[in-house]
Amino acid sequence: MIIERAERVLESRRLCDHCLGRLFAKLGKGTNEERGRAIRFVLNMERSRRGLPPLDEPETCELCGNVFERIPGLIGNMKTAAEGIEFETFLVGSRFPREVREREEVLWEEFGIETAEPINREFNRELGKAFGMATGKDTAKNPDVVFIVEPYSGRVELQINPLYIYGRYRKLVRGIPQTPLPDFEDSVASIICRPFSRTSGGKCVFKGAGREDVDVRMLGNGRPFIVEIKRPKKRRLNLDAIAAEINESGKVEVLDLRFVSPKEAEQVLTQNHRKEYLALVRVDDGVTPEEAKYVAERLAGLEIHQRTPWRVRNARADRVRVRKVHEAEARWLDEKHFELRLVTDGGLYIKELVSGDRGRTRPSVSDLLGKPAWCERLDVLNIFDD
């Protein structure tokens, strides 16, 4: 049946071995060119037995226009497109003109072909194999770069996939925001991104797993973050050297830098984190050691109903969030101050937990004391990975 169908096709179409073999791509093993050459050989033996002339491979294939002969030249175009770009893995895609794909589909329908594969799939595979042999690079499911090739014009578009780096940062000083803001010279993001951008030649995008206020330090084990580097020219980055440069700032310190996959990066940014805080609470009406201890005992294990804080109401959806205080300890300092160490669910606003935020957070430290209190100073001590 294969030989009979191939004969009917070749009697009306001038096809190269690639395009002939591709009609039967789902049958047997080997390349389509090898398959087409074998089918043509057996067919011509049969035709010779019947006294018929051979159906030899034409000088020009009417389906593909001998596009597979363009592969050596296209490899050169791909190398040119990737000049100055560091990569180890790649994939190839192609853009074939609509008329070529339509001619192929008409052929399948006319001869009832159900075992074929599209021309672009074979072309991508063959060009990828040839480019890998010419450069020593490997194909991969999640490659460093993707070449999009227009086979007939020779145009090559290079898509450079991002790099993702995981780390944790400590913000050692108050008075710098996490991301750039007007009137602030530096931010956590800018301090971290500068060496990444310079060494990679790409655009660095900083993404923190949550954030702290400008006047809050981030200490302890640090806040998880992801650096995404778009269109990097260099991928083999010395993360230890980059960390050392960031840490020299004296403002921000990074820990545990490592490369991660896009999926791992997403998990870091969407994971829930419990947080440990140290708040300095001020009570102008005065506070006793017993009152401080009472506040901590009541808060431990308590669910807090917190409407979006007044100060961020324009940037966050106005809704009530329920968060839990898991641990609470108090240390009385003087008649107006005590320290409150808290371990809470992520997303609980601690300043508002202390002040009550005009009744938007209940219960609050102010509620429990029965008099106004506010957070005079706040540090994030640790962020725990649940």
Side-chain angles (χ1 to χ4, degrees), residues 111-126:
F111 292 96
I113 302 294
E114 298 179 351
T115 55
E117 72 171 346
I119 187 172
N120 62 303
R121 189 175 300 170
E122 179 188 9
F123 185 82
N124 296 348
R125 183 172 60 248
E126 294 303 318

Side-chain angles (χ1 to χ4, degrees), residues 55 225 247 374:
L55 295 169
F225 70 90
N247 296 347
W374 71 87

Side-chain angles (χ1 to χ4, degrees), residues 61-72:
C61 177
E62 68 178 69
L63 175 56
C64 76
N66 296 1
V67 72
F68 292 90
E69 295 178 4
R70 298 172 178 263
I71 284 178

Side-chain angles (χ1 to χ4, degrees), residues 70-110:
R70 298 172 178 263
I71 284 178
L74 292 172
I75 290 174
N77 295 356
M78 292 166 68
K79 290 180 177 179
T80 299
E83 282 182 359
I85 305 300
E86 190 175 86
F87 69 99
E88 295 301 324
T89 58
F90 72 97
L91 280 181
V92 174
S94 57
R95 294 192 184 105
F96 272 81
R98 179 182 298 177
E99 56 267 26
V100 174
R101 292 183 281 114
E102 288 177 348
R103 283 201 301 267
E104 185 168 61
E105 290 169 4
V106 167
L107 179 62
W108 296 346
E109 185 174 352
E110 181 179 345

Side-chain angles (χ1 to χ4, degrees), residues 171 173-178 181 184 212-217 351:
K171 191 172 84 174
V173 298
R174 305 184 197 281
I176 58 172
Q178 186 190 74
L181 289 176
F184 289 90
E212 66 285 329
D213 290 339
V214 170
D215 60 343
V216 175
R217 293 185 299 177
K351 292 176 180 178

Side-chain angles (χ1 to χ4, degrees), residues 272-277 324 326-327 343-346 382-386:
N272 290 321
H273 300 275
R274 290 187 183 184
K275 299 179 176 68
E276 182 182 13
Y277 298 92
K324 187 174 182 179
H326 297 278
E327 298 177 21
V343 176
T344 76
D345 287 339
N382 286 294
I383 295 182
F384 305 110
D385 297 331
D386 290 348

Side-chain angles (χ1 to χ4, degrees), residues 193-204 234 237 241-242 245:
C193 276
R194 274 195 289 267
F196 277 109
S197 295
R198 189 185 67 256
T199 56
S200 69
K203 179 182 177 182
C204 176
K234 303 294 182 185
L237 307 182
I242 289 174
E245 182 175 342

Side-chain angles (χ1 to χ4, degrees), residues 12 35 65 103 109-110 130 150 167 170 184 211 232 248 261 267 269 301 306-307 309 339 342 373:
S12 63
R35 188 177 291 107
R103 283 201 301 267
E109 185 174 352
E110 181 179 345
E150 296 181 5
R170 295 185 182 124
F184 289 90
R211 60 173 60 230
E248 285 176 2
S261 68
Q267 290 172 342
L269 297 175
Q306 190 167 65
R307 186 175 174 186
E339 284 184 342
L342 302 166

